[in-house]
Amino acid sequence: MSPGPFDPSFDELPATLPVFPLPGVLLLPQGKLPLNIFEPRYLNMTRDALATDRLIGMIQPKPADGGMDAGARCLYRIGCAGRITQFAETDDGRFLITLTGVCRFAVDEEIASMRGYRRVIADWGPFSGDLEGDSEADLDRSLLVSRLKQYFDTQGITADWGVIEQTPDHRLVTTLAMVCPFESSEKQALLECESLKARASMMLALLDMAVAGTNGGDHARH
């Protein structure tokens, strides 16, 4: 899948990037992530992004004991930058935005926060291929749909299987990786896969483990 006409080129990616630490939330290149922004620091971040390049880095905070605020935890090293492609204001002071994934980044260094939100120096080098668009998933559709039906059944998730069947491989893998309720560490592993093919393979493995674990638990209770 090729980049959108408004996406930045690799040379236009910024040296510094505001980051939004959210556990269990995954953004992938070309994926679309709706967000409801209401905290003052992230309202500031959104305003500043809209005034500049519209880029925000989505990144997961590492797990921490003691209920530490997710926004203050240490960060995983890899995140994904998204561009604000939809924006709306609400009467009660929230922003409703959609981020479209552009390119992954590695955190080279965290720098001083600005207006309450965190910022990093981003190393884009390892992920320059994200901007070229990877559409080769080498996907066994029938196997994926079979595993997905089992997984959704165990999770109580309903789906429009007609839409799923018509969705191109690359978009299906990206969307499922983002929306399936995998653990944070599993989502991070999906993000860090080197290729769409590797991500598809890992997702099948995660679905298999989740279904096997649920079935094993059911047997144990009987």
Side-chain angles (χ1 to χ4, degrees):
M1 185 161 55
S2 59
F6 299 108
D7 285 344
S9 67
F10 185 75
D11 291 340
E12 292 173 325
L13 294 171
T16 63
L17 187 69
V19 291
F20 193 170
L22 276 181
V25 175
L26 179 62
L27 177 63
L28 292 170
Q30 307 303 322
K32 292 188 179 295
L33 178 65
L35 291 169
N36 176 18
I37 308 294
F38 56 89
E39 288 189 54
R41 55 185 164 176
Y42 298 127
L43 291 171
N44 290 339
M45 178 185 67
T46 302
R47 289 188 186 97
D48 292 347
L50 286 167
T52 54
D53 53 23
R54 292 195 284 163
L55 292 176
I56 292 173
M58 296 304 302
I59 193 164
Q60 290 197 105
K62 292 183 177 180
D65 296 327
M68 181 186 294
D69 176 14
R73 297 181 203 164
C74 292
L75 304 174
Y76 278 102
R77 187 164 182 267
I78 308 299
C80 183
R83 191 170 58 84
I84 299 173
T85 51
Q86 292 185 21
F87 168 81
E89 300 174 351
T90 68
D91 291 340
D92 59 357
R94 293 174 292 120
F95 291 148
L96 304 178
I97 67 173
T98 297
L99 291 181
T100 298
V102 173
C103 184
R104 290 172 293 172
F105 63 91
V107 176
D108 190 42
E109 178 184 352
E110 185 163 358
I111 57 178
S113 62
M114 185 167 74
R115 304 219 301 148
Y117 59 86
R118 298 168 72 172
R119 299 184 300 153
V120 301
I121 296 176
D123 178 7
W124 308 96
F127 308 107
S128 58
D130 288 352
L131 290 168
E132 298 169 7
D134 185 358
S135 60
E136 297 299 323
D138 193 22
L139 189 63
D140 184 335
R141 293 280 299 215
S142 61
L143 179 61
L144 176 64
V145 170
S146 172
R147 294 291 187 273
L148 201 58
K149 286 180 177 177
Q150 291 176 293
Y151 177 73
F152 280 7
D153 185 55
T154 64
Q155 298 289 322
I157 299 172
T158 57
D160 187 331
W161 296 105
V163 171
I164 287 175
E165 292 285 1
Q166 295 172 17
T167 302
D169 287 356
H170 60 272
R171 187 171 299 161
L172 182 61
V173 171
T174 295
T175 302
L176 290 176
M178 288 177 57
V179 303
C180 284
F182 297 129
E183 297 292 331
S184 292
S185 59
E186 295 169 337
K187 294 232 175 194
Q188 191 65 27
L190 287 167
L191 173 68
E192 296 183 16
C193 284
E194 291 185 3
S195 66
L196 191 65
K197 180 179 178 180
R199 187 169 297 128
S201 178
M202 177 173 287
M203 189 161 57
L204 273 172
L206 291 174
L207 292 172
D208 278 342
M209 288 191 296
V211 171
T214 302
N215 290 340
D218 290 341
H219 293 322
R221 285 192 292 269
H222 289 315

